Each structure stands twice: as C-alpha cells, then as structure tokens.
C-alpha cells in the first residue's frame, strides 16, 4: 500500500499535478531618482496635496509598471541618485481620496499611522535592494520617506488587481 502512494506521488510530480514551488512573483523595477543635491527641493507635492503639480518635482519614484495582480510582488529598487540617500516604502491606501498622515516636524509621512507593508531602507547613491511582499487588491503608494522627499513629489501610485 505504501508503494502505491509513492508511485502516485511520483506520477503526480511527473505530470505537474503536484508542485512544491511557490507561485512566481510579479517583478516591478523601481528607480528612485533626483536631479542632484544642487537643485532646490520642491515642496507641496505630497500625494493628494491641493494644487498638486508634479512637473516641478526635482525627485521622484519611477516604477516599470503601475499595477500587478494580487499575490507576491517583488520590488527591485535602485537609487539612481549620484549624491542622495533614498528609500522605498510600500503603503496601502485605506482611503485613496485622503492624503497620508504627515508629521510636519519630521517632514515625513507618519509610517506608524499609515498602512506600510514593507520597505527597502536607506539606499546609498547607486545602490539597489529588493522587497518581496504579498499584497491584496487595492491602491498603494510607493514612497521615499526620507525627510522632505515625500512632499517633494517622491511617490508613485501602484494598484494591485484581483
């Protein structure tokens, strides 16, 4: 009887009916960019800021795609800056019509009140890192939360679909 179980397992593996592989992640390449430390940093460009004009941004987040199916998503993040440290935080938007909570004295989004799902922490200029996370359907932001960077326009919308 045990022999039959081994044969059935081997047959299922051979036919691809049984797999121990994890589902493949959707890969998103992300560039954290800026125009150099010599450029004056813009302000008032945080997500949902009144009169938002991202054309004035001197730094930003550029993703290779703006959406992914629900499940495992792998963000391959590169800081393309020549002189500034950046990071990337994935934040779930509970209410996409509302701005993220912001702490003016820190000049940063309040990660303790935002629904942060993970991050690639401080990347030195030219360095890369990866974040792999399981995401459910919804609206997200990819942000740099170094002081003043989020308000300078360093964010990109990202959607996870069903």
């Amino acid at each position: 009887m045990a022999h039959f179980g081994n044969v059935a397992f081997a047959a299922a593996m051979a036919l691809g009916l049984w797999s121990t592989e994890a589902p493949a992640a959707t890969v998103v390449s992300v560039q954290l960019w800026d125009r150099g430390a010599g450029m004056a940093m813009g302000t008032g460009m945080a997500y949902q800021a009144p009169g938002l004009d991202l054309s004035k941004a001197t730094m930003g987040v550029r993703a290779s795609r703006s959406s992914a199916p629900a499940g495992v998503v792998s963000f391959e993040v590169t800081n393309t800056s020549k002189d500034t440290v950046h990071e990337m935080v994935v934040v779930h938007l509970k209410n996409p019509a509302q701005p993220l909570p912001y702490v003016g004295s820190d000049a940063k989004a309040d990660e303790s009140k935002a629904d942060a799902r993970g991050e690639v922490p401080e990347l030195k200029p030219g360095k890369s890192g990866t974040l792999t996370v399981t995401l459910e359907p919804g609206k997200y932001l990819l942000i740099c939360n170094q002081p003043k960077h989020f308000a300078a326009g360093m964010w990109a919308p990202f959607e996870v679909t069903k």
Side-chain angles (χ1 to χ4, degrees):
M1 194 64 116
H3 178 70
F4 176 74
N6 290 340
V7 171
F9 175 75
M13 291 292 286
L15 293 173
L17 301 175
W18 187 305
S19 175
T20 57
E21 289 183 31
T26 300
V27 177
V28 180
S29 296
V30 179
Q31 291 182 346
L32 307 174
W33 64 270
D34 62 59
R35 293 187 181 156
M39 294 290 296
M41 191 180 301
T43 60
M45 290 178 268
Y47 176 76
Q48 294 294 21
L52 182 63
D53 182 2
L54 284 178
S55 69
K56 297 177 182 173
T58 57
M59 52 180 55
V61 176
R62 186 176 301 119
S64 62
R65 54 191 299 161
S66 60
S67 68
V72 180
V73 181
S74 188
F75 295 94
E76 296 178 348
V77 183
T78 301
N79 179 358
T80 64
S81 177
K82 298 205 183 323
D83 47 28
T84 304
V85 172
H86 293 300
E87 68 181 358
M88 190 209 66
V89 183
V90 177
V91 179
H92 178 246
L93 296 173
K94 294 175 185 172
N95 182 348
Q98 295 295 314
L100 289 182
Y102 194 78
V103 179
S105 59
D106 292 340
K108 297 169 67 172
D110 187 343
E111 289 182 46
S112 70
K113 292 182 181 171
D115 190 5
R117 298 298 176 92
E119 71 178 84
V120 175
E122 291 76 15
L123 288 172
K124 292 182 179 177
K127 298 298 180 184
S128 298
T130 301
L131 169 67
T132 300
V133 63
T134 301
L135 298 175
E136 71 271 3
K139 305 274 186 180
Y140 294 81
L141 283 181
L142 309 178
I143 71 169
C144 177
N145 207 24
Q146 291 294 302
K148 300 182 183 178
H149 293 196
F150 176 65
M154 233 179 143
W155 54 269
F158 190 77
E159 182 173 8
V160 176
T161 60
K162 294 183 192 269

